[in-house]
Amino acid sequence: MALPDDLRYSKEHEWVRVEGSRATIGITGFAADELGDIVFVELPEVGASLGQFATFGVVESVKAVSDLFSPISGEVVEVNETLRASPELLNSDPFGDGWIAKVELADASEVDALMDADAYTAETA
Amino acid sequence: MSVAEAPSSGRGSAFAGAVGGDDLTIVEPLIFDRSRADRRAVRFPSASAAALASATGQPELPASVLRSRAPRLPEVSELDMLRHFNRLAHLNHAIDIGFYPLGSCTMKYNPKVNEWAARLPGLAESHPLDAEDLSQGSLELMWLLAELLKDISGFPAISLQPAAGAHGELTGMLMTRAYHRANGEGEQRIKVLVPDSAHGTNPATATMVGYQTVTIPSNERGGIDLDKLRAALGPDVAALMITNPSTLGIFEDQIGQVVAAVKDAGAIAYMDGANLNAILGRFRPGEAGFDIMHFNLHKTFSTPHGGGGPGAGPIGVSERLEPFLPAPIPTLVTGDATEVRANAWAGRSTDGARFALDEDRPQTIGKVRSCHGNFGMFVRAYTYIRSNGDAGLRTISEDAVLAANYLRVQLHDTYDLPYDRLSKHEVVFSGRRQKREHGVTTLDIAKAILDHGIHPPTIYFPLIVEEALMVEPTETESLETLDHFVGVMRAVADLAASDPAALKRAPTTTPVGRLDEAAAARRPDLRHTFGGAGAPEAPPSAPTAEVPTT
Amino acid sequence: MSYSPHTAADRERMLAAIGVESVDDLFADIPSAVRASAWDVPPPLVEQEVRTELARLAGRNRIPEVSFLGAGVYRHLVPSVVGEVIGRPEFSTAYTPYQPEVSQGTLQSIYEFQSLICELTQMEVATASHYDGATATAEAALMACRLTRRNRVAVSAGVNPDYRRVLETYCSGPGIEVVILPIDLTDGGTGTTDPAAVEALGAVACLIVAQPNFYGQLEPMRDLADAAHAGGAQLVAVVEPTSLALLAAPGDDGADIVTAEGQPLGIPASFGGPYVGLMAARMASVRQMPGRLVGATRDVAGRKGYVLTLQAREQHIRREKAASNICTNQALMALAATAYLVAVGPAGLREVAELSTTQARHATAALEDAGLARRRFGGTYFAEVTLNVPDAARRHAALAERGIVAGYLPERHDPALRDTLLLAATELTTDDDIARLLDGLEATR
């Protein structure tokens, strides 16, 4: 899967797309592949306060479970409700329809601590 | 992401379409689908007229407590019922059908005389709350079994109460906590150390008791890394939980130093006894300095696995932990222990001896289950140990270790052997070569083995071996069975090389093929719904409310 | 004698293949400092000798001719077909169904079990079983704590005292506080839990109540559920499975989690085990449920099949984050319960429940009419009843000498209940049994 290069990536295999004062976050295709068929996502609550690199949810596949670590800090303004009934979107479209949450950014400079597409590709080679 | 995983499923979905629906082929209908109104199997007598007349004077059950609709249990004849369960039985593989080399499970023959003994009315009909006068046989059997487990393990004290190995672990860790609290160190000792090869129940148990788990890496020989263990030990460590032989089937040859280091640091040394089948008569953990060990009566001591229980998980403990054992404890109150043992071993009467349940245990952790334990499994294990005797028990381990090493040398050219050294009762191979060269996973290998009428070895455990394949033959398999297994494993490896796609399609000769586990988890259908043929359950996050239809 | 098939020739062949001289060489990895010293295990026995030994031990037990003892373990008919089903070696000598393609017998029978428990309790999901009713109840309390994020649980004193001990032991692990809600055990009192007393408990994760309770009394379940919910707590109902043929299903009474001991469903008393713990709950709570779950699905060829599912809750995946460490369930005992429920069917289960309640009432009426005993509590009871009986302990012991067990002595766990008896009746209780009980109590006045 080609990596979108308008995103930034964390070591824990989450991505963030910054859109002004807000950002959308999700997990990468690499992570979804590692997990296998994803069956459940424990989404954060709207209004929850996320910290960069702190856990904010859980994703389960048939045979594995993983914590989700937020790539940036901020307040959750929207979660992708479709994932409740269709967690498989994380496998089929992790960078698009499989987005997890939208956040009001607390500190835009935090993005500097993240990797760009090339660096992440190198990391996961 | 921090991924915690055990066995991996196949990647990508071979399944198109939704779960459920009328287009599915049914292998054996649900018992509910065989139900027809007014069919009966077992019937009961009616109350006598006298009883009914007498009962009318007593308060009735008011309408407010009565059920609004009778439970929709299936209505079938006895013959239809038996056919249903017999046909279900035909769908199962079992030890009594064929080879079952599941590593870490000890799938040995379950002797039928054990079943005969457990069904003796004098034992099967004994009520746990009957007066001790009526239960001397049950109490004596428990006492004698505990005595034998002490001899086998070298521990001075035993509890038979825990119902399973994991339950024994829970009991042991609760006792560990009680011990540290009694010593004024309960607040400070908050960590439990486990090797990275540990079975999942070890850290899960630690959590249930409020401990944090710290993982200690294994060294390149497959043993626990002693230096890293020493570095991790300190005044904040409550215990080390270690399996010996390890989950790699390897004896921890530094076990003496491990136990010493743990105890010197003021911590409790816990041994997971799942692999006891390898060391009967050769190594006794209580003697070697361990504080606690749980036995799995359904592994080493041959009680049947039952498709997932019942088992029994008694524990042996050292003197310093003895005060914290669960209560009550079957105790000899009249008679000399040595004499009672001698009489029982020689088949002489022990009628002069009297046993009781000792409730006077002021420092006990309490109870971990109702009543006294899985007594039916004690009967089976006692029968087994008495049948084997000292020579038989030693033979068990000798032949189990012999068989495992035989398989090791027969297969180490075919599959990678990550730790090429002497095995005990099980050997762990890796399917990584087949994955690298032919793109087949250990899962695919396991599914191909199914087509040969053999249950596959344990896969993807322990976690520290890539594409792990854990083989435990046990001592009850003949050489022909072992050689046949070698042939099957070689054939599957050959097929992986010549036709990997065939492995990915396997199994094709079993009652069902590979099942869509992702769909089962995404849209859980966990019970029959009346009136809605094949309707899947709503996803877990959906609101409740199932409207029953008759 | 061991069950190993290996002859000397077999062993020679294996040793040669491995390349060692003797089997002792295969134990060279055990350092001499930790090698086992001699043990005192008796010599082997052949089958007829081991049978003699087990018969000797069985013979030291005295199974009473007449028994009214219940107190959590009940003597019911174990139909012959149940023994036939669980005696099938394909069920008894199989392992946990981790390779579902060759385990559909076990998996489908567990799915049927889950379905039957849901139907009996009118709950949405049931697990594949737990060790016993006590541990299922303790696990339910821990589950309620996870669901509500509270760390106090309340349990009625009407719940089996053994279960309360196990609950306390389990809660001592994560440091959860257990508060006891007293019940009215006074002579002439209700013998039940007072819903008005729930509010004073403060915030708890759950209220655990038994129906019927340990003393045989029927609790005001709807009101207790309402009281629990008013405080944001879960209602955990501990029920008796045969009673569910007649009594309101806990799901209809507002229970959030249901537990039970399944022993009355085709499992002999066997001095305390193996038994089978039942647990059921709402689908919304399923991810916090401990234990195994079997789900339906399809295979690659379009056949219906069953698999262990939602395994990511369990120890082998979540490890230290698992809801519980439970590995084994009690599969063969769950199969016994399944076979029992199918064998008796709805009509049979109703007959069992009705006959049990009739005989309990018949016995009570006869004892009261003869002036030998008096019901201690008001309200109503199911098939077990607490009676005031003067000098109960002495007379209970005297009757036991005559082969009659006159129920349970509540003073064994509560001195305030001296001179009472807890009598249980089942479909096996005959009019003659009741007559003998009367005669025995009469003779020991």
Side-chain angles (χ1 to χ4, degrees):
Chain A
M1 189 177 291
L3 280 184
D5 45 32
D6 61 327
L7 308 183
R8 300 294 287 243
Y9 302 87
S10 70
K11 272 193 156 51
E12 300 289 356
H13 311 290
E14 277 82 6
W15 57 261
V16 58
R17 175 184 293 117
V18 177
E19 296 144 334
S21 66
R22 291 200 166 179
T24 307
I25 61 180
I27 64 168
T28 66
F30 178 85
D33 284 349
E34 284 287 295
L35 281 164
D37 295 318
I38 292 173
V39 302
F40 181 73
V41 184
E42 192 183 284
L43 297 169
E45 283 172 23
V46 172
S49 180
L50 307 188
Q52 192 180 35
F53 306 135
T55 60
F56 74 100
V58 179
V59 63
E60 277 177 31
S61 67
V62 173
K63 303 289 175 129
V65 70
S66 175
D67 284 326
L68 298 171
F69 298 92
S70 182
I72 38 81
S73 308
E75 187 191 311
V76 178
V77 298
E78 198 186 333
V79 298
N80 187 353
E81 295 285 344
T82 330
L83 289 178
R84 294 195 204 277
S86 304
E88 57 270 28
L89 283 172
L90 286 163
N91 292 109
S92 60
D93 194 7
F95 298 106
D97 288 341
W99 64 274
I100 294 176
K102 294 194 200 290
V103 208
E104 189 73 30
L105 280 177
D107 177 0
S109 70
E110 279 182 341
V111 174
D112 300 339
L114 303 175
M115 294 176 270
D116 65 12
D118 289 336
Y120 183 69
T121 307
E123 182 81 10
T124 55
Chain B
M1 316 264 305
S2 65
V3 182
E5 69 176 281
S8 78
S9 67
R11 249 35 92 47
S13 186
F15 304 92
V19 175
D22 296 327
D23 56 328
L24 291 183
T25 305
I26 305 294
V27 176
E28 169 62 25
L30 289 171
I31 190 66
F32 303 97
D33 296 328
R34 297 203 173 279
S35 177
R36 295 292 181 273
D38 300 334
R39 286 210 179 131
R40 295 291 307 263
V42 177
R43 292 164 198 268
F44 295 90
S46 310
S48 68
L52 285 168
S54 165
T56 52
Q58 289 290 306
E60 279 186 353
L61 296 170
S64 59
V65 303
L66 293 178
R67 204 172 172 105
S68 52
R69 181 191 61 202
R72 290 164 297 184
L73 305 181
E75 298 172 85
V76 295
S77 68
E78 201 168 300
L79 178 57
D80 279 351
M81 169 190 161
L82 266 176
R83 283 183 176 158
H84 171 72
F85 286 107
N86 284 340
R87 282 201 292 262
L88 285 183
H90 289 171
L91 303 177
N92 266 10
H93 187 75
I95 297 172
D96 280 11
I97 306 296
F99 192 34
Y100 218 122
L102 266 184
S104 163
C105 303
T106 312
M107 303 298 286
K108 65 170 75 184
Y109 173 58
N110 309 135
K112 305 316 172 195
V113 66
N114 300 354
E115 299 305 310
W116 174 90
R119 286 169 176 52
L120 285 170
L123 298 173
E125 291 176 19
S126 172
H127 193 297
L129 296 173
D130 261 336
E132 283 164 2
D133 269 349
L134 303 180
S135 317
Q136 287 298 299
S138 301
L139 292 171
E140 179 177 343
L141 190 150
M142 288 177 68
W143 186 83
L144 290 172
L145 177 64
E147 289 293 302
L148 288 167
L149 293 178
K150 287 178 192 173
D151 290 330
I152 288 166
S153 64
F155 286 104
I158 300 282
S159 170
L160 297 178
Q161 213 182 90
H167 207 211
E169 290 179 36
L170 177 65
T171 309
M173 295 317 293
L174 284 169
M175 290 175 63
T176 295
R177 242 244 329 251
Y179 170 81
H180 289 309
R181 279 185 179 160
N183 283 356
E185 294 188 334
E187 300 297 306
Q188 104 199 27
R189 292 192 181 267
I190 54 171
K191 294 181 180 162
V192 167
L193 310 182
V194 304
D196 55 6
S197 53
H199 192 275
T201 52
N202 296 165
T205 301
T207 300
M208 276 182 95
V209 183
Y211 285 125
Q212 296 164 26
T213 306
V214 174
T215 306
I216 309 295
S218 299
N219 59 31
E220 69 290 344
R221 295 183 69 247
I224 194 170
D225 187 318
L226 192 52
D227 292 332
K228 299 217 164 93
L229 172 65
R230 287 193 171 121
L233 282 166
D236 61 349
V237 173
L240 167 73
M241 296 178 82
I242 189 167
T243 311
N244 186 38
S246 72
T247 59
L248 295 165
I250 291 169
F251 194 86
E252 285 279 358
D253 48 20
Q254 298 182 96
I255 197 69
Q257 295 100 298
V258 167
V259 171
V262 169
K263 292 170 77 171
D264 285 347
I268 293 294
Y270 182 104
M271 188 175 121
D272 181 322
N275 291 334
L276 204 57
N277 213 48
I279 48 174
L280 294 168
R282 298 277 177 168
F283 175 79
R284 298 201 289 165
E287 208 173 42
F290 276 98
D291 285 297
I292 323 174
M293 182 189 80
H294 77 264
F295 301 81
N296 294 77
L297 296 189
H298 46 292
K299 295 186 181 187
T300 311
F301 298 98
S302 87
T303 75
H305 284 83
I315 54 169
V317 302
S318 61
E319 252 185 68
R320 64 179 179 164
L321 287 180
E322 192 270 350
F324 307 100
L325 285 171
I329 300 181
T331 307
L332 179 67
V333 294
T334 306
D336 171 72
T338 312
E339 212 179 286
V340 172
R341 286 169 55 117
N343 285 333
W345 299 164
R348 292 189 293 266
S349 160
T350 59
D351 284 352
R354 207 192 137 71
F355 300 87
L357 287 165
D358 181 13
E359 283 278 7
D360 183 19
R361 311 278 315 171
Q363 288 186 284
T364 178
I365 55 164
K367 290 198 84 167
V368 293
R369 60 152 295 155
S370 63
C371 309
H372 320 307
N374 275 351
F375 180 78
M377 315 328 277
F378 305 155
V379 177
R380 292 171 171 89
Y382 179 74
T383 306
Y384 183 72
I385 295 171
R386 293 302 313 270
S387 298
N388 275 277
D390 58 355
L393 292 177
R394 291 182 64 90
T395 304
I396 287 169
S397 289
E398 288 172 3
D399 284 349
V401 171
L402 197 48
N405 281 286
Y406 179 72
L407 291 180
R408 173 175 61 83
V409 303
Q410 298 287 46
L411 289 172
H412 69 281
D413 292 329
T414 315
Y415 295 90
D416 277 3
L417 194 59
Y419 299 93
D420 190 1
R421 41 181 294 206
L422 189 58
S423 293
K424 294 257 75 66
H425 66 314
E426 63 195 4
V427 53
V428 179
F429 295 98
S430 166
R432 67 187 168 206
R433 192 198 320 165
Q434 282 73 16
K435 185 173 179 187
R436 213 174 44 234
E437 293 176 6
H438 310 296
V440 301
T441 63
T442 287
L443 183 82
D444 298 324
I445 292 169
K447 299 307 182 190
I449 294 169
L450 287 172
D451 277 329
H452 290 268
I454 290 177
H455 195 283
T458 298
I459 54 174
Y460 298 105
F461 181 75
L463 302 181
I464 57 171
V465 172
E466 186 195 342
E467 300 290 322
L469 208 48
M470 191 198 297
V471 180
E472 181 184 355
T474 84
E475 73 284 2
T476 57
E477 301 293 339
S478 69
L479 208 38
E480 298 83 71
T481 302
L482 298 178
D483 285 337
H484 178 246
F485 175 68
V486 171
V488 166
M489 294 298 283
R490 287 181 183 154
V492 170
D494 288 346
L495 190 62
S498 65
D499 188 2
L503 255 71
K504 295 210 174 274
R505 285 193 300 270
T508 56
T509 62
T510 50
V512 298
R514 296 202 202 188
L515 293 148
D516 190 348
E517 299 192 23
R522 282 177 189 150
R523 282 165 278 282
D525 170 0
L526 304 176
R527 59 154 171 146
H528 172 68
T529 44
F530 294 91
E537 281 300 307
S541 58
T544 61
E546 187 239 348
V547 180
T549 57
T550 310
Chain C
M1 87 258 155
S2 93
Y3 292 89
S4 165
H6 297 308
T7 62
D10 292 332
R11 293 188 180 105
E12 284 303 317
R13 255 196 63 197
M14 286 193 277
L15 288 169
I18 296 166
V20 293
E21 289 288 310
S22 81
V23 80
D24 283 335
D25 295 340
L26 298 176
F27 291 88
D29 50 357
I30 301 181
S32 49
V34 295
R35 280 197 194 144
S37 52
W39 61 16
D40 186 24
V41 174
L45 297 176
V46 295
E47 178 154 347
Q48 65 199 62
E49 292 168 329
V50 84
R51 284 200 185 195
T52 301
E53 165 64 1
L54 268 298
R56 178 186 79 76
L57 288 166
R60 287 203 74 200
N61 276 348
R62 287 163 54 199
I63 306 299
E65 291 161 38
V66 174
S67 179
F68 290 84
L69 177 55
V73 175
Y74 301 94
R75 283 170 55 248
H76 286 281
L77 178 76
V78 177
S80 312
V81 288
V82 173
E84 287 295 312
V85 171
I86 65 170
R88 291 290 310 223
E90 299 94 332
F91 286 125
S92 63
T93 72
Y95 189 64
T96 305
Y98 288 128
Q99 296 288 352
E101 298 90 342
V102 291
S103 314
Q104 288 299 294
T106 299
L107 287 162
Q108 183 169 333
S109 65
I110 296 175
Y111 183 87
E112 293 177 355
F113 171 79
Q114 290 170 188
S115 304
L116 290 166
I117 301 307
C118 283
E119 179 58 18
L120 275 180
T121 59
Q122 289 299 300
M123 300 297 284
E124 292 166 351
V125 56
T127 65
S129 74
H130 301 269
Y131 308 135
D132 67 354
T135 56
T137 304
E139 292 264 23
L142 298 180
M143 177 178 164
C145 290
R146 288 190 294 273
L147 288 168
T148 59
R149 303 212 172 118
R150 293 175 176 176
N151 62 359
R152 293 173 79 228
V153 302
V155 60
S156 161
V159 170
N160 185 317
D162 235 18
Y163 287 30
R164 286 187 277 124
R165 271 184 94 180
V166 172
L167 175 68
E168 279 162 1
T169 304
Y170 266 67
C171 287
S172 75
I176 288 170
E177 186 192 343
V178 178
V179 293
I180 314 250
L181 193 51
I183 71 168
D184 177 12
L185 290 174
T186 58
D187 190 2
T190 61
T192 58
T193 315
D194 180 7
V198 174
E199 195 184 342
L201 295 171
V204 289
C206 60
L207 172 62
I208 307 170
V209 186
Q211 180 72 313
N213 71 23
F214 182 73
Y215 302 97
Q217 295 293 102
L218 288 173
E219 297 271 15
M221 291 305 279
R222 261 263 132 236
D223 293 338
L224 288 164
D226 290 343
H229 295 151
Q234 305 258 304
L235 196 281
V236 176
V238 183
V239 298
E240 194 281 302
T242 64
S243 75
L244 295 179
L246 291 178
L247 296 183
D252 292 336
D253 270 349
D256 298 291
I257 308 174
V258 177
T259 65
E261 174 53 66
Q263 175 273 324
L265 304 175
I267 295 168
S270 193
F271 205 60
Y275 293 160
V276 61
L278 314 180
M279 183 187 295
R282 303 177 188 291
M283 214 39 205
S285 311
V286 74
R287 288 205 134 72
Q288 294 304 326
M289 274 185 109
R292 296 196 174 125
L293 290 166
V294 170
T297 183
R298 61 184 298 178
D299 81 346
V300 270
R303 295 181 207 114
K304 184 115 186 230
Y306 301 88
V307 288
L308 292 175
T309 192
L310 301 183
Q311 290 189 72
R313 297 160 305 119
E314 296 185 61
Q315 51 78 24
H316 57 292
I317 293 177
R318 264 198 209 248
R319 296 175 69 93
E320 68 268 15
K321 296 193 180 135
S324 165
N325 73 346
I326 191 169
C327 190
T328 311
N329 54 318
Q330 297 277 106
L332 201 66
M333 299 297 106
L335 180 62
T338 304
Y340 176 85
L341 288 169
V342 173
V344 304
L349 197 67
R350 192 184 177 91
E351 285 169 357
V352 166
E354 283 177 341
L355 199 44
S356 302
T357 58
T358 299
Q359 294 303 83
R361 279 161 174 70
H362 173 32
T364 304
L367 287 167
E368 287 186 333
D369 288 348
L372 289 167
R374 218 177 11 91
R375 281 192 65 215
R376 184 176 181 84
F377 305 123
T380 191
Y381 58 96
F382 183 64
E384 203 161 8
V385 59
T386 306
L387 300 170
N388 287 335
V389 178
D391 225 358
R394 174 187 62 82
R395 294 158 85 184
H396 188 280
L399 259 70
E401 286 297 307
R402 297 155 157 245
I404 301 168
V405 176
Y408 176 76
L409 277 167
E411 63 187 79
R412 279 170 67 172
H413 73 268
D414 187 350
L417 292 169
R418 209 177 57 227
D419 291 339
T420 64
L421 288 176
L422 179 62
L423 292 192
T426 70
E427 79 284 0
L428 293 179
T429 307
T430 63
D431 291 354
D432 190 59
D433 291 342
I434 293 170
R436 289 183 63 180
L437 175 67
L438 250 75
D439 288 346
L441 284 174
E442 188 62 60
T444 56
R445 265 194 203 268

